[in-house]
Amino acid sequence: MKYIFKKIYCATIVFVISLLTVFNCYAHENTANTEYNSEIVVEVDTYEDFLNYVKNPLFKYTFVIKKPPIIQPRNSFCYYCGKQTLTMNNYRTFELNRKAKGCPYNPDVIDHFTTWGNTYDLSCGSCGYRETIDKGESYTAYCLNSEGLDFMRTFEVRRNWTLAGGYEIHQCWSTWN
């Protein structure tokens, strides 16, 4: 009699534990009603790393992509008409300053280093909306050297362009300042 009672008791406990396990697993599939143990912030390198990250349903995750990809849309949506025809334009509007300096190849020839004032604005191709959003500067160098392949030519100059970066000497900021 004791042996049968032990069998029934053990079978009942196994049945109850298996039911609890099944209900517990089912409860974690529906995370809308689940209390999270804690929130974890995870830094990933790419969107693929985010997709491949193994997640535990007991924790709430916030993912941060270290260097998100820069996506430059061709057109944005206009604030007024709502059409996707809003573009950003850069206008070289006026000359701020001009310096005469010797050409890096031939110091007897004078080159012109010019600072230009730029205007950046948003304009809509549909409704005509226009807004100036920023002003800035750009730089050019006009080479008057009549010798060599790059004679009498205008070069765009940038502050971060260097000879080591593969740029022509007229394009390097260090040449002019």
Side-chain angles (χ1 to χ4, degrees):
M1 187 77 148
K2 280 184 173 183
Y3 183 70
I4 294 174
F5 180 69
K6 281 185 179 180
K7 277 187 167 184
I8 294 173
Y9 179 73
C10 287
T12 306
I13 288 180
V14 169
F15 179 73
V16 170
I17 289 174
S18 65
L19 281 177
L20 288 174
T21 304
V22 168
F23 287 125
N24 192 22
C25 289
Y26 177 73
H28 288 303
E29 286 179 10
N30 185 7
T31 57
N33 298 327
T34 303
E35 290 287 326
Y36 296 114
N37 290 343
S38 65
E39 183 173 348
I40 299 173
V41 177
V42 180
E43 287 188 4
V44 293
D45 293 323
T46 62
Y47 181 71
E48 287 76 23
D49 292 342
F50 158 72
L51 293 175
N52 295 331
Y53 192 86
V54 179
K55 300 165 193 76
N56 185 338
L58 297 176
F59 297 98
K60 180 180 179 186
Y61 292 92
T62 302
F63 287 91
V64 177
I65 298 177
K66 292 179 187 175
K67 289 185 178 180
I70 298 173
I71 300 171
Q72 190 77 15
R74 289 182 167 224
N75 294 336
S76 297
F77 290 96
C78 179
Y79 307 122
Y80 290 110
C81 68
K83 294 182 181 173
Q84 192 175 0
T85 55
L86 189 68
T87 58
M88 187 170 96
N89 303 303
N90 173 11
Y91 299 104
R92 187 172 283 166
T93 53
F94 52 92
E95 185 178 310
L96 290 174
N97 188 7
R98 182 181 292 216
K99 291 187 220 174
K101 287 202 164 193
C103 177
Y105 292 123
N106 184 358
D108 296 332
V109 176
I110 300 297
D111 288 351
H112 296 284
F113 177 76
T114 309
T115 304
W116 297 92
N118 294 344
T119 302
Y120 303 92
D121 68 359
L122 294 173
S123 61
C124 179
S126 294
C127 68
Y129 166 75
R130 176 173 248 148
E131 175 188 4
T132 299
I133 54 172
D134 198 9
K135 294 186 185 251
E137 294 179 349
S138 64
Y139 311 96
T140 60
Y142 182 67
C143 181
L144 296 172
N145 189 6
S146 61
E147 300 172 5
L149 297 174
D150 290 329
F151 68 94
M152 300 185 80
R153 179 175 156 198
T154 301
F155 294 91
E156 193 73 25
V157 179
R158 300 272 171 95
R159 290 181 184 266
N160 57 344
W161 287 355
T162 62
L163 285 173
Y167 293 97
E168 211 273 345
I169 194 165
H170 285 94
Q171 295 177 305
C172 300
W173 180 259
S174 60
T175 304
W176 306 106
N177 291 313

Short mmCIF file of all heavy atoms in Angstrom, two decimals, residues 14 62 69 91 93 101 103-104 121 133 152-153 163 167 176:
data_model
loop_
_atom_site.label_atom_id
_atom_site.label_comp_id
_atom_site.label_asym_id
_atom_site.label_seq_id
_atom_site.Cartn_x
_atom_site.Cartn_y
_atom_site.Cartn_z
N VAL A 14 5.38 15.23 -10.40
CA VAL A 14 5.95 15.37 -11.74
C VAL A 14 4.96 16.07 -12.67
O VAL A 14 5.32 16.98 -13.44
CB VAL A 14 6.38 14.00 -12.31
CG1 VAL A 14 6.72 14.08 -13.78
CG2 VAL A 14 7.55 13.46 -11.52
N THR A 62 17.87 47.90 -24.76
CA THR A 62 17.96 49.11 -25.56
C THR A 62 19.27 49.01 -26.33
O THR A 62 20.33 48.88 -25.73
CB THR A 62 17.97 50.37 -24.66
OG1 THR A 62 16.78 50.39 -23.88
CG2 THR A 62 18.06 51.63 -25.50
N PRO A 69 24.86 54.29 -39.88
CA PRO A 69 25.17 54.66 -41.25
C PRO A 69 24.56 56.03 -41.59
O PRO A 69 23.46 56.34 -41.18
CB PRO A 69 24.51 53.55 -42.08
CG PRO A 69 23.45 53.00 -41.20
CD PRO A 69 23.96 53.17 -39.79
N TYR A 91 24.86 77.97 -51.94
CA TYR A 91 25.17 79.03 -52.89
C TYR A 91 26.41 79.77 -52.44
O TYR A 91 26.51 80.19 -51.29
CB TYR A 91 24.01 80.03 -52.98
CG TYR A 91 22.73 79.40 -53.45
CD1 TYR A 91 21.70 79.13 -52.57
CD2 TYR A 91 22.56 79.08 -54.80
CE1 TYR A 91 20.52 78.56 -53.01
CE2 TYR A 91 21.39 78.51 -55.25
CZ TYR A 91 20.37 78.25 -54.35
OH TYR A 91 19.23 77.67 -54.78
N THR A 93 27.82 82.95 -52.42
CA THR A 93 27.11 84.20 -52.67
C THR A 93 28.02 85.41 -52.87
O THR A 93 27.72 86.27 -53.68
CB THR A 93 26.13 84.49 -51.52
OG1 THR A 93 26.84 84.44 -50.29
CG2 THR A 93 25.01 83.50 -51.52
N LYS A 101 49.33 85.32 -53.19
CA LYS A 101 50.48 84.58 -52.64
C LYS A 101 51.24 83.95 -53.79
O LYS A 101 50.68 83.72 -54.86
CB LYS A 101 50.01 83.50 -51.68
CG LYS A 101 49.53 84.01 -50.36
CD LYS A 101 49.60 82.90 -49.34
CE LYS A 101 49.51 83.49 -47.96
NZ LYS A 101 49.87 82.56 -46.95
N CYS A 103 52.90 81.12 -56.03
CA CYS A 103 52.51 79.75 -56.40
C CYS A 103 53.47 78.76 -55.74
O CYS A 103 54.68 78.99 -55.69
CB CYS A 103 52.57 79.60 -57.92
SG CYS A 103 52.18 77.94 -58.50
N PRO A 104 52.98 77.64 -55.21
CA PRO A 104 53.86 76.65 -54.59
C PRO A 104 54.87 76.05 -55.58
O PRO A 104 55.94 75.62 -55.17
CB PRO A 104 52.91 75.57 -54.08
CG PRO A 104 51.55 76.14 -54.16
CD PRO A 104 51.57 77.29 -55.09
N ASP A 121 20.46 76.85 -47.94
CA ASP A 121 19.03 77.02 -47.72
C ASP A 121 18.27 75.78 -48.16
O ASP A 121 18.77 74.93 -48.88
CB ASP A 121 18.50 78.27 -48.42
CG ASP A 121 18.53 78.19 -49.93
OD1 ASP A 121 18.99 77.17 -50.47
OD2 ASP A 121 18.09 79.15 -50.57
N ILE A 133 19.10 78.31 -43.80
CA ILE A 133 19.34 77.57 -42.56
C ILE A 133 20.74 77.78 -42.00
O ILE A 133 20.95 77.56 -40.81
CB ILE A 133 19.09 76.06 -42.75
CG1 ILE A 133 19.91 75.51 -43.90
CG2 ILE A 133 17.62 75.78 -42.96
CD1 ILE A 133 19.87 74.02 -44.03
N MET A 152 46.78 77.66 -64.75
CA MET A 152 45.63 78.55 -64.85
C MET A 152 44.33 77.81 -64.53
O MET A 152 43.43 77.71 -65.35
CB MET A 152 45.59 79.21 -66.21
CG MET A 152 46.85 80.03 -66.46
SD MET A 152 46.83 80.95 -67.96
CE MET A 152 45.85 82.33 -67.47
N ARG A 153 44.22 77.33 -63.32
CA ARG A 153 43.10 76.51 -62.90
C ARG A 153 42.67 76.91 -61.50
O ARG A 153 43.49 77.32 -60.69
CB ARG A 153 43.54 75.05 -62.93
CG ARG A 153 42.51 74.09 -62.50
CD ARG A 153 43.00 72.67 -62.70
NE ARG A 153 42.25 71.82 -61.78
CZ ARG A 153 42.61 70.63 -61.43
NH1 ARG A 153 43.71 70.10 -61.92
NH2 ARG A 153 41.90 69.92 -60.60
N LEU A 163 48.72 66.90 -48.19
CA LEU A 163 49.49 66.17 -49.21
C LEU A 163 49.52 64.68 -48.90
O LEU A 163 49.45 63.85 -49.79
CB LEU A 163 50.91 66.72 -49.29
CG LEU A 163 51.09 68.07 -49.97
CD1 LEU A 163 52.53 68.55 -49.82
CD2 LEU A 163 50.72 67.97 -51.43
N TYR A 167 46.06 64.85 -51.79
CA TYR A 167 45.56 66.03 -52.48
C TYR A 167 46.70 66.83 -53.12
O TYR A 167 47.84 66.76 -52.70
CB TYR A 167 44.78 66.91 -51.50
CG TYR A 167 43.51 66.23 -51.05
CD1 TYR A 167 43.47 65.53 -49.84
CD2 TYR A 167 42.37 66.27 -51.83
CE1 TYR A 167 42.32 64.89 -49.43
CE2 TYR A 167 41.21 65.64 -51.42
CZ TYR A 167 41.20 64.95 -50.23
OH TYR A 167 40.05 64.31 -49.84
N TRP A 176 48.28 77.74 -47.84
CA TRP A 176 47.78 79.11 -47.91
C TRP A 176 47.76 79.81 -46.55
O TRP A 176 47.55 81.02 -46.50
CB TRP A 176 46.38 79.14 -48.52
CG TRP A 176 46.39 78.44 -49.85
CD1 TRP A 176 45.89 77.23 -50.14
CD2 TRP A 176 46.99 78.92 -51.04
NE1 TRP A 176 46.12 76.91 -51.44
CE2 TRP A 176 46.79 77.95 -52.03
CE3 TRP A 176 47.68 80.08 -51.40
CZ2 TRP A 176 47.26 78.08 -53.33
CZ3 TRP A 176 48.12 80.23 -52.70
CH2 TRP A 176 47.92 79.23 -53.65
#
